[in-house]
Amino acid sequence: MSICPLCQQPSLQAFYQDKFREYQRCGNCLLVSVPEAFLLNAVEEKAVYDQHQNNPDDLGYRKFLSRALDPVLQRVSQDAEGLDFGCGPGPTISVMAAEKGIKVDNYDLYYCNDPQKLQKQYDFVTITEVIEHVADAKSLLATLDSLLKPGGLLVIMTKRAGDLEAFSRWHYKGDPTHINFYATETFEWIAKQYNWTLEVLGNDVVLFNKA
């Protein structure tokens, strides 16, 4: 029996199917995931990411990211150091933070793969429109936890999965690189698992505070 990529429980149930792939939902943590048979390989995945045109000069992109970054900057001191996990080909959060005098390192598996960045601990970590792309959800959350200092903040931007009716009409699942979909209840499960405090800041932004 298949196990959930997040909570590792054998509680996956068929949830939805479209003409491209199947989706399964965990009865324990409510993560919706795509079975391994439908995952892209690394070359195919990067080819999709290479089409993205995000860059720091795009005011619309800055406004989009500010919904995740601003709540963090409002809660940290001026000498705080952060990490943008999954910064993409056009790192922007680090630029926006630097303009306010706050240092943010960049890390990305494909575009800024410096493993030393993952050996440090930070006052805050941002992960914007990334978590839904990562197949091994359990390892990802463990990595994010290891990157946070005690009292550190983790902000996650990703659209949240709803019920079956909403999911069936949801454009977000149409991206072939979107493979794990988190519900509000999934983030509540994560908070309990890691003893983090959860704040839901919007329909696609959540903030965790590490104890």
Side-chain angles (χ1 to χ4, degrees):
M1 179 180 289
S2 298
I3 62 172
C4 173
L6 177 60
C7 71
Q8 303 290 289
Q9 294 300 306
S11 51
L12 294 177
Q13 302 166 345
F15 183 57
Y16 184 73
Q17 182 172 351
D18 57 28
K19 61 183 179 180
F20 301 108
R21 52 191 187 169
E22 300 169 5
Y23 305 84
Q24 51 201 7
R25 183 167 65 176
C26 177
N28 182 47
C29 69
L30 295 192
L31 182 81
V32 176
S33 58
V34 173
E36 187 175 355
F38 298 96
L39 303 186
L40 303 182
N41 62 42
V43 173
E44 294 167 335
E45 189 177 36
K46 185 175 183 295
V48 176
Y49 301 152
D50 285 344
Q51 297 172 23
H52 294 178
Q53 298 297 318
N54 301 331
N55 69 78
D57 298 325
D58 185 334
L59 296 182
Y61 187 49
R62 279 175 168 252
K63 184 177 180 181
F64 173 72
L65 293 177
S66 70
R67 293 190 292 106
L69 181 60
D70 287 355
V72 174
L73 296 186
Q74 292 163 6
R75 289 167 168 80
V76 299
S77 62
Q78 194 67 29
D79 61 352
E81 290 191 22
L83 174 71
D84 185 16
F85 188 98
C87 61
T92 300
I93 280 181
S94 57
V95 176
M96 294 168 63
E99 291 168 355
K100 299 192 175 182
I102 294 181
K103 182 179 185 299
V104 171
D105 287 343
N106 291 308
Y107 175 81
D108 191 283
L109 177 64
Y110 292 120
Y111 302 103
C112 194
N113 193 348
D114 180 357
Q116 288 189 335
K117 300 287 176 61
L118 304 184
Q119 303 305 312
K120 296 172 58 177
Q121 283 195 314
Y122 299 87
D123 299 294
F124 65 93
V125 174
T126 62
I127 177 167
T128 58
E129 293 293 319
V130 172
I131 197 170
E132 68 276 5
H133 298 270
V134 180
D136 191 344
K138 181 178 186 289
S139 292
L140 173 61
L141 267 297
T143 295
L144 294 172
D145 182 53
S146 73
L147 290 168
L148 289 170
K149 296 178 181 177
L153 300 176
L154 170 66
V155 65
I156 298 175
M157 175 180 274
T158 187
K159 289 183 167 53
R160 293 197 295 280
D163 60 18
L164 178 58
E165 181 183 357
F167 193 88
S168 69
R169 297 180 279 103
W170 201 25
H171 75 282
Y172 204 61
K173 69 181 184 301
D175 186 327
T177 65
H178 290 181
I179 53 179
N180 281 329
F181 306 93
Y182 294 72
T184 301
E185 294 87 351
T186 313
F187 287 126
E188 290 169 349
W189 181 92
I190 290 169
K192 185 175 181 180
Q193 187 77 8
Y194 285 95
N195 194 28
W196 295 344
T197 302
L198 169 66
E199 287 185 68
V200 177
L201 301 181
N203 61 6
D204 61 352
V205 179
V206 297
L207 180 71
F208 291 104
N209 191 332
K210 179 175 179 176

